[in-house]
Amino acid sequence: MSRENAGDLTFSEQYNGPDPLLDAARTHSHEFGLVPVSQTTASTLTLLARLLTPVAAVEVGTGVGTSTLALLRGMPTAGILTSIDTNSTAQGAARDLVEMAGIRPGRLRLMNGRAEEVLKKLAPSAYDMVFIDSEPSTLERMIQPSLRLLDTHGLLVIHQTLLKGSVADPVDRSPRTQAARGLLNRIAEREDLQRVLLPIGEGLLLLQKSP
């Protein structure tokens, strides 16, 4: 990453913050050995949810709740977020975070288990938005199950698609980077999807079914 780009990222993080609750959650994430979404990513998720106004949304990768809270803040007050993770202890911290934010507990439905299995159990075409925050090596097998959940105008948002400049660096041939590159290349070949790749945080890929 160039010095100029690094400066832009630092300035953006400062400009889009601070957020005491999310800042505390990020510190808590590191105690669990988890990497939370950046402040700019969280702000973007809130804005996307506010624009899309999802009544029902799904999140893959609860963590301790940084993206969970960001999504709920943007969703309508009647909107319900279903959040999936294998770490039930971290999910408990996420529930506490949402309660501290003054959000009605009934708006968050936590489901513990492997995302690939849980996604298949959710109702098809019943959700307005799906957010996936998972390692690049597991992302691809979640795309079709996630698209199945979305209604006609639903939005799929995928995190960790640029890996802070690693994907754009031709010298980086690590398995993690190769997995992210392969995903992006295969998505680019699909005519059934509209796509926008945003250089925000670890990279956000926005997908919507073609009309």
Side-chain angles (χ1 to χ4, degrees), residues 34-37 41 60-61 131-139 157-164 167 176-177 179-181 183-184 197-198 200-205:
L34 302 172
V35 180
V37 298
T41 301
V60 174
F131 172 63
I132 304 176
D133 186 8
S134 182
E135 276 296 305
S137 60
T138 65
L139 283 175
V157 182
I158 305 175
H159 191 224
Q160 299 195 64
T161 48
L162 287 174
L163 305 179
K164 289 187 177 179
V167 171
R176 191 166 182 255
T177 301
R181 280 198 197 106
L183 169 69
L184 291 175
L197 181 60
L198 302 174
I200 295 171
E202 294 276 348
L204 287 179
L205 177 64

Side-chain angles (χ1 to χ4, degrees), residues 186-195 208-211:
R186 285 183 285 276
I187 289 292
E189 295 171 354
R190 294 187 55 165
E191 297 182 357
D192 62 326
L193 296 175
Q194 302 291 316
R195 68 183 189 277
Q208 196 170 46
K209 299 173 187 176
S210 297

Side-chain angles (χ1 to χ4, degrees), residues 10-205:
T10 300
F11 183 85
S12 296
E13 285 292 291
Q14 295 171 347
Y15 186 82
N16 292 323
D19 188 313
L21 267 180
L22 289 184
D23 290 343
R26 286 190 190 89
T27 300
H28 202 26
S29 291
H30 297 306
E31 295 171 4
F32 279 88
L34 302 172
V35 180
V37 298
S38 68
Q39 179 57 44
T40 301
T41 301
S43 298
T44 302
L45 291 175
T46 299
L47 179 59
L48 287 172
R50 192 170 292 137
L51 293 171
L52 195 62
T53 63
V55 174
V58 174
E59 174 188 43
V60 174
T62 313
V64 302
T66 49
S67 54
T68 308
L69 179 57
L71 289 165
L72 284 168
R73 281 174 167 175
M75 293 172 66
T77 54
I80 296 176
L81 175 64
T82 298
S83 189
I84 306 165
D85 206 306
T86 57
N87 190 330
S88 59
T89 305
Q91 283 188 318
R95 187 184 296 280
D96 292 342
L97 177 68
V98 169
E99 290 180 359
M100 283 190 291
I103 294 174
R104 181 169 52 85
R107 293 187 56 205
L108 176 61
R109 179 173 66 151
L110 294 173
M111 299 187 72
N112 185 255
R114 288 171 52 84
E116 300 98 309
E117 299 170 1
V118 177
L119 288 171
K120 295 175 183 177
K121 298 176 182 178
L122 301 179
S125 305
Y127 297 87
D128 310 296
M129 184 177 183
V130 176
F131 172 63
I132 304 176
D133 186 8
S134 182
E135 276 296 305
S137 60
T138 65
L139 283 175
E140 193 152 6
R141 59 178 178 263
M142 298 182 196
I143 290 178
Q144 280 309 122
S146 297
L147 289 172
R148 183 186 71 90
L149 302 181
L150 293 172
D151 60 16
T152 305
H153 302 292
L155 184 68
L156 173 56
V157 182
I158 305 175
H159 191 224
Q160 299 195 64
T161 48
L162 287 174
L163 305 179
K164 289 187 177 179
S166 296
V167 171
D169 181 2
V171 177
D172 192 330
R173 309 289 292 179
S174 67
R176 191 166 182 255
T177 301
Q178 292 281 62
R181 280 198 197 106
L183 169 69
L184 291 175
N185 289 338
R186 285 183 285 276
I187 289 292
E189 295 171 354
R190 294 187 55 165
E191 297 182 357
D192 62 326
L193 296 175
Q194 302 291 316
R195 68 183 189 277
V196 177
L197 181 60
L198 302 174
I200 295 171
E202 294 276 348
L204 287 179
L205 177 64

